[in-house]
Amino acid sequence: MTDIVLSLSDARLTLAGNAGPVEILHSITLDIARGESVGLVGPSGSGKSSLLMLMGGLERASGGKVMALGRDLTAMGEDDLARFRRGNMGIVFQSFHLVPTMTALENVALPLQIAGVKDAIPRAEAELARVGLGHRRGHYPSEMSGGEQQRVALARAVAPRPAILLADEPTGNLDAANGAAIIELLFNLQAETGATLVLVTHAPDLAARCARLVRLADGRLA
Ligand SMILES: Nc1ncnc2c1ncn2[C@@H]1O[C@H](COP(=O)(O)OP(=O)(O)OP(=O)(O)O)[C@@H](O)[C@H]1O
Ligand SMILES: [Mg+2]
């Protein structure tokens, strides 16, 4: 089995903008090894979120190839991709994407229940407590601050102990103390499970913890 967990070769992303097609990512070639922690850094608009979406199979490459755990994401159908993500990836979006009609606890329990975990609710309670939100378990996303929603999203992503964790500015809405706690949680998870981390960040303290930084500028590796 290969030690390369994520592999992009000449991956490109073009989206249909209002004024015609926009080239978002140009020829990205990048390998990420098992257990690596990679920080994606670069100016706003440089393509960090887009690159994370390609790695998660949430955007389809317009050209080139994206492989994850030896599977070619560019050749998979939507159902296969969704199943693959559920089994192998935790994703924290820049805008959280919590289910608005579910409480914090239900949001965190959801992927565990889908995975058929028997003690999903107690497990979810423990995960919420780990991000300091045990007392918010019954709150809906609209009843939580941005930073609280961000921590719920993180708890949900890590609860199934994914092999690959993709997180878009996971400390972006947090104060220094909560940010530091989330950084500990991420790297403890990596130490416990050998997960591969890909983190988009503007935060120097989070970037400093990553084993490798990948810089983007104008949709290219810099
Ligand atoms: N649906 C879309 N159609 C056209 N252009 C888009 C679309 N989505 C994103 N873009 C453009 O793609 C570029 C990269 O966006 P992306 O969100 O990946 O940047 P980013 O590096 O994550 O920025 P930030 O740090 O602000 O989150 C930007 O110039 C953006 O305007
Ligand atoms: Mg972004």
Side-chain angles (χ1 to χ4, degrees):
M1 182 109 186
T2 168
D3 257 316
I4 300 301
V5 163
L6 286 163
S7 176
L8 290 84
S9 30
D10 192 24
R12 278 157 283 146
L13 180 65
T14 305
L15 293 176
N18 241 343
V22 187
E23 289 210 34
I24 311 280
L25 295 171
H26 311 258
S27 187
I28 305 282
T29 296
L30 176 67
D31 282 345
I32 297 177
R34 186 179 308 280
E36 232 190 326
S37 54
V38 173
L40 290 182
V41 298
S44 178
S46 58
K48 304 180 297 295
S49 295
S50 304
L51 181 56
L52 206 69
M53 294 298 105
L54 272 191
M55 290 176 177
L58 292 154
E59 287 281 7
R60 203 172 274 281
S62 318
K65 207 162 169 179
V66 179
M67 307 274 293
L69 296 166
R71 301 280 306 273
D72 183 354
L73 300 188
T74 46
M76 280 161 77
E78 290 304 325
D79 290 352
D80 277 349
L81 266 176
R83 205 170 307 120
F84 179 80
R85 267 196 304 271
R86 277 203 300 274
N88 301 291
M89 289 183 176
I91 303 177
V92 183
F93 296 91
Q94 196 164 7
S95 48
F96 321 135
H97 292 201
L98 296 174
V99 181
T101 55
M102 289 185 172
T103 64
L105 182 62
E106 289 165 347
N107 265 284
V108 177
L110 185 63
L112 299 171
Q113 288 164 333
I114 290 172
V117 172
K118 273 204 300 286
D119 52 348
I121 295 290
R123 278 265 308 270
E125 277 170 352
E127 299 295 335
L128 264 185
R130 276 184 89 178
V131 297
L133 287 177
H135 61 302
R136 289 283 185 265
R137 72 177 72 168
H139 285 228
Y140 291 93
S142 61
E143 300 167 338
M144 288 182 284
S145 72
E148 287 173 340
Q149 292 179 55
Q150 182 159 45
R151 285 184 282 156
V152 173
L154 192 84
R156 177 179 64 177
V158 304
R161 299 291 179 267
I164 301 173
L165 184 74
L166 307 176
D168 203 339
E169 303 197 29
T171 61
N173 292 270
L174 303 179
D175 56 61
N178 276 304
I182 289 305
I183 293 173
E184 284 318 306
L185 185 140
L186 285 168
F187 286 89
N188 286 340
L189 173 85
Q190 188 199 26
E192 277 167 34
T193 68
T196 304
L197 304 182
V198 184
L199 311 170
V200 172
T201 189
H202 290 285
D205 48 348
L206 179 50
R209 287 291 295 271
C210 294
R212 172 157 62 123
L213 294 182
V214 168
R215 272 172 217 288
L216 277 171
D218 285 332
R220 299 171 204 278
L221 296 183

Short mmCIF file of all heavy atoms in Angstrom, two decimals, residues 15-17 22 24 42-51 94 168-169 200 202, ligand 1:
data_model
loop_
_atom_site.label_atom_id
_atom_site.label_comp_id
_atom_site.label_asym_id
_atom_site.label_seq_id
_atom_site.Cartn_x
_atom_site.Cartn_y
_atom_site.Cartn_z
N LEU A 15 -14.24 27.29 -13.35
CA LEU A 15 -15.66 27.42 -13.02
C LEU A 15 -16.30 28.40 -13.99
O LEU A 15 -15.64 29.31 -14.50
CB LEU A 15 -15.83 27.91 -11.57
CG LEU A 15 -15.40 26.95 -10.48
CD1 LEU A 15 -15.54 27.61 -9.11
CD2 LEU A 15 -16.19 25.65 -10.52
N ALA A 16 -17.59 28.21 -14.22
CA ALA A 16 -18.33 29.10 -15.11
C ALA A 16 -18.70 30.36 -14.33
O ALA A 16 -19.57 30.32 -13.48
CB ALA A 16 -19.58 28.40 -15.62
N GLY A 17 -18.01 31.44 -14.59
CA GLY A 17 -18.36 32.71 -13.94
C GLY A 17 -19.36 33.46 -14.80
O GLY A 17 -19.73 33.00 -15.89
N VAL A 22 -13.83 30.92 -15.55
CA VAL A 22 -12.75 31.48 -14.73
C VAL A 22 -11.82 30.34 -14.33
O VAL A 22 -12.29 29.33 -13.79
CB VAL A 22 -13.31 32.14 -13.45
CG1 VAL A 22 -12.20 32.87 -12.70
CG2 VAL A 22 -14.45 33.09 -13.77
N ILE A 24 -9.62 28.83 -11.88
CA ILE A 24 -9.41 29.01 -10.45
C ILE A 24 -8.10 28.37 -10.02
O ILE A 24 -7.34 28.95 -9.24
CB ILE A 24 -10.58 28.38 -9.67
CG1 ILE A 24 -11.93 28.84 -10.24
CG2 ILE A 24 -10.45 28.66 -8.19
CD1 ILE A 24 -12.40 30.18 -9.82
N GLY A 42 -1.81 31.32 1.76
CA GLY A 42 -1.80 32.21 0.60
C GLY A 42 -2.85 33.28 0.78
O GLY A 42 -3.73 33.15 1.63
N PRO A 43 -2.77 34.32 -0.06
CA PRO A 43 -3.70 35.44 0.08
C PRO A 43 -5.15 35.02 -0.15
O PRO A 43 -5.41 33.98 -0.76
CB PRO A 43 -3.25 36.42 -1.00
CG PRO A 43 -1.96 35.94 -1.52
CD PRO A 43 -1.80 34.52 -1.14
N SER A 44 -6.05 35.85 0.31
CA SER A 44 -7.47 35.66 0.04
C SER A 44 -7.70 35.61 -1.47
O SER A 44 -7.16 36.43 -2.21
CB SER A 44 -8.25 36.82 0.66
OG SER A 44 -9.62 36.68 0.38
N GLY A 45 -8.46 34.61 -1.92
CA GLY A 45 -8.74 34.48 -3.34
C GLY A 45 -7.70 33.69 -4.11
O GLY A 45 -7.81 33.52 -5.33
N SER A 46 -6.67 33.18 -3.42
CA SER A 46 -5.60 32.47 -4.13
C SER A 46 -5.99 31.03 -4.49
O SER A 46 -5.28 30.37 -5.23
CB SER A 46 -4.32 32.48 -3.30
OG SER A 46 -4.52 31.89 -2.03
N GLY A 47 -7.11 30.53 -3.93
CA GLY A 47 -7.58 29.21 -4.31
C GLY A 47 -7.47 28.14 -3.24
O GLY A 47 -7.62 26.94 -3.52
N LYS A 48 -7.24 28.53 -2.01
CA LYS A 48 -7.04 27.55 -0.93
C LYS A 48 -8.30 26.70 -0.70
O LYS A 48 -8.21 25.47 -0.64
CB LYS A 48 -6.67 28.28 0.38
CG LYS A 48 -5.45 29.18 0.25
CD LYS A 48 -5.11 29.87 1.56
CE LYS A 48 -6.19 30.81 2.07
NZ LYS A 48 -6.45 31.98 1.19
N SER A 49 -9.44 27.36 -0.57
CA SER A 49 -10.68 26.60 -0.35
C SER A 49 -10.98 25.72 -1.56
O SER A 49 -11.42 24.58 -1.41
CB SER A 49 -11.86 27.55 -0.10
OG SER A 49 -11.66 28.27 1.10
N SER A 50 -10.74 26.27 -2.75
CA SER A 50 -11.00 25.49 -3.97
C SER A 50 -10.13 24.24 -4.01
O SER A 50 -10.61 23.15 -4.37
CB SER A 50 -10.72 26.35 -5.20
OG SER A 50 -11.48 27.54 -5.15
N LEU A 51 -8.88 24.37 -3.62
CA LEU A 51 -7.97 23.22 -3.62
C LEU A 51 -8.44 22.18 -2.60
O LEU A 51 -8.43 20.97 -2.86
CB LEU A 51 -6.54 23.69 -3.32
CG LEU A 51 -5.47 22.61 -3.30
CD1 LEU A 51 -5.45 21.83 -4.61
CD2 LEU A 51 -4.08 23.24 -3.05
N GLN A 94 -15.35 26.28 5.51
CA GLN A 94 -15.13 27.67 5.96
C GLN A 94 -16.44 28.24 6.54
O GLN A 94 -16.40 29.03 7.47
CB GLN A 94 -14.66 28.50 4.76
CG GLN A 94 -14.04 29.81 5.14
CD GLN A 94 -13.23 30.43 4.00
OE1 GLN A 94 -13.24 29.94 2.86
NE2 GLN A 94 -12.55 31.52 4.30
N ASP A 168 -10.98 23.97 6.69
CA ASP A 168 -10.80 25.30 6.10
C ASP A 168 -10.84 26.35 7.20
O ASP A 168 -11.89 26.64 7.75
CB ASP A 168 -11.92 25.55 5.08
CG ASP A 168 -11.53 26.59 4.05
OD1 ASP A 168 -10.61 27.38 4.33
OD2 ASP A 168 -12.14 26.59 2.97
N GLU A 169 -9.70 26.90 7.53
CA GLU A 169 -9.55 27.90 8.60
C GLU A 169 -10.27 27.47 9.88
O GLU A 169 -11.17 28.17 10.36
CB GLU A 169 -10.05 29.25 8.10
CG GLU A 169 -9.30 29.66 6.84
CD GLU A 169 -9.44 31.14 6.50
OE1 GLU A 169 -9.60 31.93 7.44
OE2 GLU A 169 -9.35 31.48 5.33
N VAL A 200 -6.34 24.71 5.86
CA VAL A 200 -6.19 26.05 5.32
C VAL A 200 -6.10 27.00 6.50
O VAL A 200 -6.91 26.90 7.43
CB VAL A 200 -7.42 26.44 4.47
CG1 VAL A 200 -7.35 27.91 4.06
CG2 VAL A 200 -7.54 25.54 3.26
N HIS A 202 -4.82 31.14 7.96
CA HIS A 202 -4.11 32.43 7.97
C HIS A 202 -3.41 32.62 9.32
O HIS A 202 -2.72 33.61 9.52
CB HIS A 202 -5.09 33.59 7.79
CG HIS A 202 -5.70 33.69 6.42
ND1 HIS A 202 -5.01 34.17 5.34
CD2 HIS A 202 -6.93 33.36 5.96
CE1 HIS A 202 -5.79 34.13 4.27
NE2 HIS A 202 -6.96 33.64 4.63
N1 LIG B 1 -18.30 29.71 -8.24
C1 LIG B 1 -17.30 30.50 -8.61
N2 LIG B 1 -17.30 31.06 -9.83
C2 LIG B 1 -16.30 31.86 -10.23
N3 LIG B 1 -15.22 32.14 -9.47
C3 LIG B 1 -15.18 31.62 -8.25
C4 LIG B 1 -16.19 30.76 -7.74
N4 LIG B 1 -15.84 30.37 -6.49
C5 LIG B 1 -14.66 30.96 -6.23
N5 LIG B 1 -14.25 31.73 -7.27
C6 LIG B 1 -13.00 32.49 -7.36
O1 LIG B 1 -11.93 31.57 -7.19
C7 LIG B 1 -10.82 32.18 -6.55
C8 LIG B 1 -10.35 31.29 -5.42
O2 LIG B 1 -11.36 31.23 -4.41
P1 LIG B 1 -11.13 30.46 -3.04
O3 LIG B 1 -12.41 30.52 -2.30
O4 LIG B 1 -10.57 29.11 -3.34
O5 LIG B 1 -10.01 31.37 -2.35
P2 LIG B 1 -9.33 31.27 -0.90
O6 LIG B 1 -7.87 31.21 -1.11
O7 LIG B 1 -9.98 30.18 -0.12
O8 LIG B 1 -9.69 32.69 -0.27
P3 LIG B 1 -10.07 33.11 1.27
O9 LIG B 1 -8.77 33.17 2.02
O10 LIG B 1 -10.68 34.48 1.09
O11 LIG B 1 -11.04 32.11 1.80
C9 LIG B 1 -11.31 33.55 -6.11
O12 LIG B 1 -10.75 34.50 -6.99
C10 LIG B 1 -12.81 33.48 -6.26
O13 LIG B 1 -13.35 34.73 -6.59
#
